[in-house]
């Protein structure tokens, strides 16, 4: 009886030590080899150079001139924000209030599209304090006009307003122009993301703030390799630009305004092992807003797959001098935005697309 009791105690002690050890071993194995457990996501596009607000440092932000310039200097993706005018038009604008952009203290939602004022002649670059952009084009642009002009260009859309009609219109435009696979839903809010995905669940989407925090918790507890993730992209500030290139405003989240908290976030969140794990699962990692070569270098060194910048020509030049390794999982290869994409249908048939002006309301015509 004493021998049985002793063996039981020894077995219990052994299990107490072995189980945590096995958990750690399997967690590490799956961290570095997530394909063992998870199917790799496959976006229909791949970007390195993302023009923030169309490249707000080189042309007036979010104008057609800025978007054209970004494409000319070989940006791979456009980033923009949307609001809705009084007459129901979806307009591209970062701010809902036009004071910063135009000098007029008025809300976009209170004006018809035709009554929107022009951008200022010189507009300060938000993420490059003390520097200004200029341009010939100072007009606000419709989201639909951007879709028509760049039918194959991946676009990251952040919906700023909790406005059901706005979200419905954006989703409808994306669907009408058949760009669901190359248009990204972006918002920090769980509530807004839920609404966006309800309207168009076929679009890729980013982690919200709450979901991003959850990923960090899972990473540090070793649970992340075991947990399925529905998001397609992780987008976050490169913390080192805060309080240097970008000075937080009182309305910004506490995480940006409190230096000790920002320092903690940088130490916890900017982990190459985390980013590499996500990338192996097919989740793109975008860091922003990098407007100096030192910041671009830091972002890619951390394992970012892409960088958002206000200076897409600067980033294009950096990428030519610092070629990045190809993606670790299959994508549609990077291409110049004017090159028609190949879209793989559910049947496995590859269809090539091009813009067709004769197709009223449809951006693509089948050509192969």
């Amino acid at each position: 009886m004493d021998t049985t009791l002793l063996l039981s105690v020894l077995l219990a002690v052994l299990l107490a030590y072995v189980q945590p050890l096995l958990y750690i071993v399997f967690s590490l194995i799956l961290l570095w080899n997530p394909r063992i457990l998870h199917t790799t996501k496959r976006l229909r596009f791949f970007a390195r150079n993302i023009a923030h607000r169309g490249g707000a440092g080189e042309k007036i932000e979010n104008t057609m001139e800025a978007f054209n310039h970004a494409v000319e200097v070989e940006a791979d993706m456009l980033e923009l924000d949307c609001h809705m005018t009084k007459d129901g038009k979806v307009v591209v604008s970062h701010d809902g209030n036009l004071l910063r952009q135009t000098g007029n203290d008025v809300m976009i939602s209170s004006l018809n599209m035709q009554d929107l004022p022009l951008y200022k002649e010189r507009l300060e670059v938000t993420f490059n304090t003390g520097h200004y952009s200029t341009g010939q084009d100072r007009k606000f642009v419709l989201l639909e006009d951007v879709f028509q002009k760049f039918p194959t260009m991946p676009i990251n859309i952040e919906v700023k307003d909790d406005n059901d009609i706005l979200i419905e219109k954006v989703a409808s435009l994306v669907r009408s122009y058949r760009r669901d696979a190359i248009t990204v839903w972006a918002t920090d809010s769980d509530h807004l993301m839920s609404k966006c995905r309800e309207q168009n669940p076929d679009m890729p989407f980013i982690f919200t703030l709450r979901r991003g925090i959850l990923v960090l918790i899972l990473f540090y507890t070793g649970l992340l390799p075991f947990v399925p993730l529905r998001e397609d992209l992780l987008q976050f500030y490169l913390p080192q630009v805060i309080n240097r290139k970008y000075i937080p405003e009182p309305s910004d989240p506490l995480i940006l305004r409190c230096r000790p908290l920002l320092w903690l976030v940088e130490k916890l969140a900017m982990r190459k092992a985390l980013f590499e794990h996500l990338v192996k699962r097919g989740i793109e990692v975008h860091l922003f807003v990098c407007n100096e070569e030192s910041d671009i270098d830091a972002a890619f060194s951390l394992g970012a797959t892409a960088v958002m910048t206000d200076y897409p020509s600067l980033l294009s030049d950096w990428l030519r001098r610092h070629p990045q390794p190809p993606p670790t999982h299959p994508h549609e290869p990077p291409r110049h935005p004017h090159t028609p994409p190949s879209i793989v249908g559910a049947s496995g048939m590859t269809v090539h697309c091009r813009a067709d002006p004769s197709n009223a309301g449809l951006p693509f015509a089948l050509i192969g």
Side-chain angles (χ1 to χ4, degrees):
M1 187 69 178
D2 290 341
T3 302
T4 303
L5 180 61
L6 180 60
L7 288 174
S8 298
V9 171
L10 288 174
L11 181 61
V13 171
L14 184 63
L15 287 175
Y17 282 97
V18 169
Q19 283 182 327
L21 182 61
L22 287 175
Y23 169 73
I24 293 171
V25 169
F26 280 111
S27 180
L28 288 173
I29 289 173
L30 291 174
L31 181 69
W32 298 113
N33 301 279
R35 297 183 187 92
I36 295 173
L37 188 60
H38 304 285
T39 301
T40 304
K41 296 174 182 290
R42 286 173 171 81
L43 290 176
R44 300 296 179 85
F45 64 90
F46 182 71
R48 292 284 190 201
N49 184 342
I50 304 173
H52 181 245
R53 305 184 197 176
E58 297 176 347
K59 299 293 179 182
I60 299 294
E61 67 182 49
N62 287 324
T63 59
M64 192 62 77
E65 183 181 26
F67 297 134
N68 275 316
H69 174 72
V71 170
E72 289 170 2
V73 300
E74 299 182 353
D76 304 308
M77 187 177 193
L78 303 175
E79 186 275 343
L80 52 82
D81 312 88
C82 288
H83 294 272
M84 193 168 69
T85 61
K86 184 179 179 181
D87 54 345
K89 303 294 185 181
V90 180
V91 65
V92 178
S93 174
H94 181 271
D95 301 354
N97 184 287
L98 296 176
L99 181 61
R100 177 187 67 88
Q101 299 168 158
T102 71
N104 295 274
D105 189 5
V106 61
M107 299 298 292
I108 287 177
S109 58
S110 69
L111 298 174
N112 292 330
M113 179 66 192
Q114 65 182 22
D115 298 323
L116 292 178
L118 298 176
Y119 279 100
K120 294 176 181 177
E121 291 184 6
R122 296 175 72 248
L123 189 61
E124 186 172 22
V125 183
T126 304
F127 281 85
N128 199 5
T129 303
H131 293 77
Y132 295 80
S133 62
T134 60
Q136 298 298 316
D137 184 4
R138 296 163 52 204
K139 295 180 181 178
F140 286 85
V141 65
L142 293 173
L143 179 63
E144 184 169 12
D145 291 341
V146 178
F147 285 175
Q148 288 178 345
K149 181 71 174 180
F150 310 106
T152 66
M153 185 68 159
I155 296 178
N156 188 93
I157 299 178
E158 183 168 359
V159 177
K160 293 289 190 181
D161 297 332
D162 187 1
N163 183 323
D164 291 348
I165 298 176
L166 170 63
I167 294 171
E168 289 173 12
K169 284 178 177 284
V170 172
S172 178
L173 282 169
V174 170
R175 193 174 289 110
S176 295
Y177 283 86
R178 299 182 182 177
R179 49 177 302 118
D180 308 63
I182 60 170
T183 309
V184 175
W185 283 125
T187 177
D188 288 337
S189 165
D190 279 338
H191 176 67
L192 282 182
M193 185 61 80
S194 177
K195 288 187 174 183
C196 290
R197 298 210 64 230
E198 182 179 348
Q199 289 299 321
N200 192 330
D202 297 323
M203 292 167 57
F205 65 106
I206 72 168
F207 287 88
T208 60
L209 180 58
R210 184 189 67 84
R211 290 279 297 174
I213 293 172
L214 176 60
V215 164
L216 276 181
I217 294 172
L218 293 173
F219 175 69
Y220 281 103
T221 57
L223 288 169
L224 181 60
F226 302 98
V227 178
L229 300 172
R230 58 179 184 265
E231 290 83 356
D232 303 286
L233 308 99
L234 174 69
Q235 297 179 347
F236 197 70
Y237 294 95
L238 181 69
Q240 69 185 46
V241 309
I242 309 298
N243 294 307
R244 181 171 60 82
K245 305 301 292 182
Y246 173 67
I247 308 302
E249 299 178 356
S251 59
D252 283 327
L254 179 63
I255 194 174
L256 300 182
R257 293 182 282 112
C258 177
R259 288 177 183 264
L261 185 57
L262 185 64
W263 177 87
L264 182 62
V265 167
E266 181 172 14
K267 297 303 178 184
L268 292 177
M270 298 295 106
R271 309 302 298 179
K272 190 169 185 176
L274 168 61
F275 294 161
E276 288 179 344
H277 173 78
L278 294 176
V279 171
K280 287 177 182 177
R281 290 175 68 165
I283 297 170
E284 301 301 319
V285 177
H286 300 169
L287 295 180
F288 61 91
V289 175
C290 302
N291 291 332
E292 289 187 354
E293 289 200 356
S294 59
D295 297 325
I296 294 170
D297 186 70
F300 282 116
S301 295
L302 284 167
T305 56
V307 163
M308 285 192 198
T309 181
D310 291 317
Y311 299 89
S313 61
L314 172 72
L315 181 49
S316 287
D317 180 64
W318 188 92
L319 287 168
R320 280 190 288 270
R321 290 184 284 110
H322 304 82
Q324 297 299 296
T328 57
H329 50 281
H331 284 84
E332 184 173 315
R335 66 183 189 280
H336 190 275
H338 291 311
T339 304
S342 299
I343 298 177
V344 182
S347 65
M349 180 181 73
T350 300
V351 177
H352 300 284
C353 305
R354 63 171 170 82
D356 186 355
S358 66
N359 248 350
L362 300 178
F364 298 138
L366 304 186
I367 61 174

